[in-house]
Amino acid sequence: MTPSDQQQEPRLTSLAHGGGCGCKIAPGLLSGILRDTRAMPIPEALLVGIETSDDAAVYLLNETQALVATTDFFMPVVDDPHDFGRIAATNAISDVYAMGATPIMALALVGMPINVLSPETIGRVLDGGASICREAGIPIAGGHSIDSVEPIYGLVAMGLVDPALLKKNSGARPGDVLVLGKPLGVGVMSAALKQGALDPAGYARMIDTTTRLNRPGPELARLEGVHALTDVTGFGLGGHALEMARGSGSDLALDWRAVPLLEGVRDLAERGFVTGASGRNWASYGQGIALSADMSELDRALLSDPQTSGGLLVACAPDAVDQVLGIFAAQGFAAAAPIGQILDRSDTPRVILR
């Protein structure tokens, strides 16, 4: 392919029907697809499977080690191939951190329209992913590639954790405080970007948050007062909070006014830059969420906004909040904030907005 041909390559986002974690199958539909697989026999060594929609599978190796395994891949959320690779790799590794584990290696998953994109462009996607793996201190030890209609990139990510320190999304206890590690709004920003309405400063903020590894995970897991961890991705804060509520068998309250948003996101949402995935998310799990009387449709859209490479959601004892915030701050997560709490046990757990 000549340089002039390369210049005529289409925008990456124009080749995808959706982008980033907004490509996820809606929670309600996914639950139906997986219904029969829940009846499969479960070996005793499988500490975490699909029962509570947790972030990764966990398999016991010995008394002090368990293998954490996960995979995540999606279509382009940005047009720059190197940035696309970085975002996808950061997002995939996040699920390891969200279990309190330390990543050890990754495998690359690559699907590219080879007659549309140049080898140089595809190479830049892979280089972006490799740069994040180097930052995380792990090798890409292999992988698989196919010729596909839409560009797809992601990782199988693996890590190790002491079983005694494993943090599930189902371990929250009544009285726990919820702390969110990153601001919301990536889905809104990606919608604006796709329509050419995201300015360079907004793009820089989007890339900064989506390529920031959730490194605090293992350190948070070592705190006795931390009881549950998950990361907020394609189902939005509302969906992942509801998974935590259902997993722990308790109602969960969110203080919407305390939830941090990326700068400029509310303005973009008011201008109509909301993803279709936000509506699909709400249609799937909205019946499990009680909105406060003063919340608008825009607020609802932000609550269900799909986050690509979103932040950790931590459930911790009240006396551990300062330690949790200190760990986040020390590792560059200045926007981390308490956003709610776990309420009483419930037969029909829900998320309550205040």
Side-chain angles (χ1 to χ4, degrees):
M1 186 174 289
T2 68
S4 60
D5 290 333
Q6 292 176 31
Q7 291 173 6
Q8 296 173 14
E9 284 187 34
R11 295 172 59 191
L12 285 181
T13 55
S14 73
L15 298 174
H17 75 279
C21 286
C23 299
K24 277 189 173 183
I25 295 175
L29 179 57
L30 182 61
S31 178
I33 292 171
L34 296 176
R35 185 178 296 115
D36 291 340
T37 66
R38 298 180 191 275
M40 294 174 62
I42 300 175
E44 186 176 346
L46 185 64
L47 303 182
V48 179
I50 63 173
E51 298 81 13
T52 61
S53 303
D54 220 322
D55 298 295
V58 183
Y59 194 91
L60 184 67
L61 299 177
N62 53 56
E63 290 184 356
T64 60
Q65 290 182 314
L67 177 67
V68 176
T70 183
T71 185
D72 212 315
F73 54 89
F74 46 64
M75 283 83 82
V77 67
V78 296
D79 291 312
D80 183 280
H82 191 260
D83 284 344
F84 169 40
R86 293 170 67 209
I87 293 168
T90 306
N91 180 74
I93 298 170
S94 181
D95 285 340
V96 174
Y97 290 130
M99 304 302 297
T102 300
I104 56 171
M105 71 172 181
L107 307 174
L109 302 173
V110 184
M112 293 288 163
I114 58 174
N115 291 327
V116 177
L117 297 177
S118 68
E120 291 78 12
T121 295
I122 297 171
R124 289 185 65 204
V125 174
L126 273 58
D127 286 345
S131 72
I132 290 296
C133 288
R134 287 193 296 271
E135 187 178 333
I138 62 173
I140 295 180
H144 185 65
S145 61
I146 61 169
D147 181 3
S148 65
V149 175
E150 295 180 285
I152 298 169
Y153 178 71
L155 300 175
V156 174
M158 286 162 277
L160 291 175
V161 66
D162 184 331
L165 300 178
L166 174 66
K167 301 300 178 184
K168 305 177 185 179
N169 68 354
S170 58
R173 305 174 186 177
D176 279 354
V177 175
L178 297 170
V179 178
L180 179 63
K182 289 182 182 181
L184 303 182
V186 173
V188 169
M189 286 185 147
S190 66
L193 175 68
K194 198 163 187 178
Q195 297 185 50
L198 188 65
D199 62 26
Y203 183 79
R205 287 191 292 271
M206 178 183 171
I207 297 302
D208 178 68
T209 191
T210 54
T211 60
R212 187 178 297 272
L213 288 163
N214 280 322
R215 291 179 181 273
E219 189 173 354
L220 291 168
R222 289 192 289 271
L223 292 181
E224 185 175 348
V226 170
H227 303 139
L229 278 174
T230 191
D231 61 348
V232 178
T233 54
F235 299 152
L237 176 61
H240 292 286
L242 186 58
E243 287 178 344
M244 183 176 281
R246 289 172 172 169
S248 62
S250 301
D251 286 337
L252 182 157
L254 292 177
D255 180 358
W256 182 242
R257 291 167 296 183
V259 175
L261 298 177
L262 288 161
E263 183 182 343
V265 160
R266 180 169 288 276
D267 176 65
L268 289 170
E270 288 174 346
R271 292 163 55 192
F273 298 109
V274 175
T275 70
S278 177
R280 292 192 296 274
N281 281 342
W282 185 257
S284 293
Y285 59 65
Q287 73 281 358
I289 297 179
L291 298 177
S292 61
D294 60 348
M295 285 188 71
S296 65
E297 286 192 21
L298 185 146
D299 291 318
R300 191 186 75 181
L302 291 172
L303 178 67
S304 56
D305 185 54
Q307 302 306 290
T308 300
S309 191
L312 295 175
L313 183 63
V314 186
C316 65
D319 59 7
V321 172
D322 287 344
Q323 289 175 286
V324 168
L325 292 174
I327 289 171
F328 273 124
Q331 299 200 38
F333 293 79
I339 63 165
Q341 66 180 129
I342 302 296
L343 303 178
D344 294 334
R345 300 292 184 189
S346 172
D347 292 334
T348 55
R350 58 181 182 158
V351 173
I352 302 167
L353 273 293
R354 293 175 171 175

